[in-house]
Amino acid sequence: MTFEETTGSTLTPEAQVALDRATDSAHRHHDLLSDRAFHIKQSAVRDVFDISIQPGLISLAGGSPYLQSLPLDELADVSADIIRNHGLAALQYGPGQGLQELRELACEVMAAEGILDADPADIIITTGSQSAQDVAAKVFCNPGDVVLCEDPTYVGALNAFEAYEVDLQPVPMDSDGLVPAALEERIHSLRAAGKRIKFLYTIPSFNNPSGITLSAERRDAVVRICRENNILVLEDNPYGMLRFDGEPLVPLRANHPEDVLYLGSFSKIFAPGLRLGWALVPKHLFRRFYLACEAVVLCPSPLTQMITAAYLRDFDWMGRVEASRTFYAERCTAMLRALGEHMPDGVTWTVPDGGFFIWVSLPDGIDTYPLLTEAIDAGVVFIPGAAFTPGDAPSAQLRLAFSAVSPDEIAEGIRRLTPVIRRAVEGRAS
Amino acid sequence: MTFEETTGSTLTPEAQVALDRATDSAHRHHDLLSDRAFHIKQSAVRDVFDISIQPGLISLAGGSPYLQSLPLDELADVSADIIRNHGLAALQYGPGQGLQELRELACEVMAAEGILDADPADIIITTGSQSAQDVAAKVFCNPGDVVLCEDPTYVGALNAFEAYEVDLQPVPMDSDGLVPAALEERIHSLRAAGKRIKFLYTIPSFNNPSGITLSAERRDAVVRICRENNILVLEDNPYGMLRFDGEPLVPLRANHPEDVLYLGSFSKIFAPGLRLGWALVPKHLFRRFYLACEAVVLCPSPLTQMITAAYLRDFDWMGRVEASRTFYAERCTAMLRALGEHMPDGVTWTVPDGGFFIWVSLPDGIDTYPLLTEAIDAGVVFIPGAAFTPGDAPSAQLRLAFSAVSPDEIAEGIRRLTPVIRRAVEGRAS
């Protein structure tokens, strides 16, 4: 199956938007759509999800965690036991806030990263942290309100926020993450322009898609700047434990319980198919956030919560996280090595200390979106950089994920990608 | 645990709202909340969820399905098999639209109710139909847009819609459901007032909370009126199969594929703890609805989808539905009998043909909200009627659920409730 067959389109994102509007307006129900419906974009990551699983293709696109090290037989037994012996609770409606036991276990997970004061009463179990991002925009943002974010940042969060017609304002990063002076300057210029800034969305450790980590030195500064300007910090930390070596950096939330709304995820330390994450909410915001969560999903699944709780309670989950660090580090090294061997001059990339992603920069003026079709023809998939920044401007960047592919496949994938990149670089130079 | 200890409050809903505003405004982050955050209400159903499971109390509050007839041992084996042999797919991210097999099975479920032309390509698997209600308001409603609904209607849908600052306009029902003439008149007067009406939210079969069913004769008329006025119909049909006898009425969607967005749920024909439902979306609206679903949850859980698919594929799910009809009918009969024996003059109630609920009306002027505390002291829980209608006006009605309680407990619950009701009726008369 080709990219065109899968997505049904060879259109650029701009052309797709134009087509959607034309299609919508052909029907009398066009008038029924909300303004925000036109702000909800196709996710480039999801675009390529289906083709990523085609045989023969090497996917460096999706940030899927490596699950082969899960103890599937034991998890099968645990799940059977839950349904057999606790099925009437597991299969029934549950509390809207999530199960007490899982909220307590989430506190243990956070303690392992340096958040020592989390109270299970302040936690809401969410349907993945995607759902918590949606609720954050819902609870805090009127149309036109500003959300600050890293440039680049997670495409799913951008899509969730844009559905609320927010004004997404990217803030520059360098190799140490968000630049405090740039953050401060952006806040002041937005304020001067009369904008209302609601929160900073940040993935401080191993940012998706760049792999960049906010340095320890800058962490307090970023929160302090936000606090001084009465801006909430929405800290998304799915990868924090997946540091290749050394101790994880302390999350922003650790020293700033009042100013940081913290999002955790079981997807990377356990498994994404259970669709569970959590929000640790400052007490003064808890009730609003909780009610909005309940209005969206009523309650998270008791069954998947009980399976997750059993995994965290009865298995050596931390041992597996530690093993996976080594494992992801090897894959990252394999990708860095292949990039170093094959990429032409003028192409640069980040060197992450953890997480799932490397961010590749081609020379200015190259748009990586049209390269995706060529790459798929060559047997490899990536995500074009434009997905990870607000707006529809072309991007000379692309995201490569090393998390779900073996070192050999990574080497082969980069080898396949090289001529596509080389042609683009040479075409620009000529 | 008392009601006060559980909810932390003896406040009326109005007083709670005032308290929330005061609490919010005490913190500098108050300014960060969106306008819509103040529209998201506490769900009265969820309020009493926690106390409903206290030992000794008889809960006639929550509409939990009866799960004791599920084949738990076999489901345990099925789940273990899925994780053991398909765990890498079940525990990984999945397609945003949901699994093809489950979408095909949802078509079979709908076919059993008379929707014969559903295409799996037009279905999105959702995190319960609650999530589909949220997405519907998101995709269709700007602040101030009108959503029409039955009076009374499902509290969870009201909460989901109110989070988008819609103008909820209840339309009167009689014992045959929505009154077409009243619907037409309401549409015309709203239009005359310059209002934009986006959709009619309706539970045509065994409405929650009233148990009322839209008669076969009125079904086409309701859709025709909406169609003539370019109003979409959002049909929520979780209980349709749970008719006590006779053939289920054909859903509104069956004859109106272009004008009805249909919501189905696996919660009542299988189990709510998996948090799965589906939306069958008219083709011209599909893409907008799908993108909004993806922005909220990324994808539904592959694990719970695979378990649900296995249940629908390998088990006699229809046999269990048929058995449960008899079963729920017995409980409904027990409740009707107890009401007839015990309730004082001036109290009336609906006689449902299916579903989970009976709607009890006390004489005008009685507010059933304060009676809840008395009822809990007497050892029984119900949901006050005010929850099921937009606005905060007191209600002389209350909802009783018979789905999850044995006939003996139902009789005892009504016996406990009787003096509370009697005092209220006599107090008003005196």
Side-chain angles (χ1 to χ4, degrees), chain A residues 138-140 142 288 291-292, chain B residues 33-41 163 165:
Chain A
K138 189 171 201 162
V139 167
F140 296 113
N142 291 322
R288 294 290 178 194
L291 291 179
Chain B
L33 292 165
S34 67
D35 293 341
R36 79 175 73 75
F38 296 99
H39 286 253
I40 306 176
K41 294 196 304 190
E165 302 168 82

Side-chain angles (χ1 to χ4, degrees), chain A residues 20 24 27 29 34 36 42 46 77 84 91 93-94 96 134 138-139 141 258 268 273 284 287 301, chain B residues 20 24 27 29 34 36 42 46 77 84 91 93-94 134 138-139 141 258 268 273 284 287-288 301:
Chain A
D20 284 347
D24 290 336
H27 197 281
H29 283 160
S34 67
R36 79 175 73 76
Q42 177 99 25
R46 307 300 301 182
D77 293 341
R84 188 170 283 114
L91 301 175
Y93 292 109
D134 169 74
K138 189 171 201 162
V139 167
C141 297
E258 199 176 336
K268 277 74 181 185
H284 60 283
R287 191 174 143 78
S301 162
Chain B
D20 284 347
D24 290 335
H27 195 281
H29 283 161
S34 67
R36 79 175 73 75
Q42 178 99 24
R46 306 300 300 184
D77 294 341
R84 186 171 284 115
L91 301 175
Y93 292 109
D134 169 73
K138 188 171 203 162
V139 167
C141 297
E258 199 176 336
K268 278 74 181 186
H284 60 283
R287 191 176 143 79
R288 294 291 178 194
S301 162

Side-chain angles (χ1 to χ4, degrees), chain A residues 144-160:
Chain A
D145 283 352
V146 170
V147 168
L148 302 169
C149 61
E150 284 144 359
D151 183 12
T153 192
Y154 171 52
V155 58
L158 291 176
N159 288 344

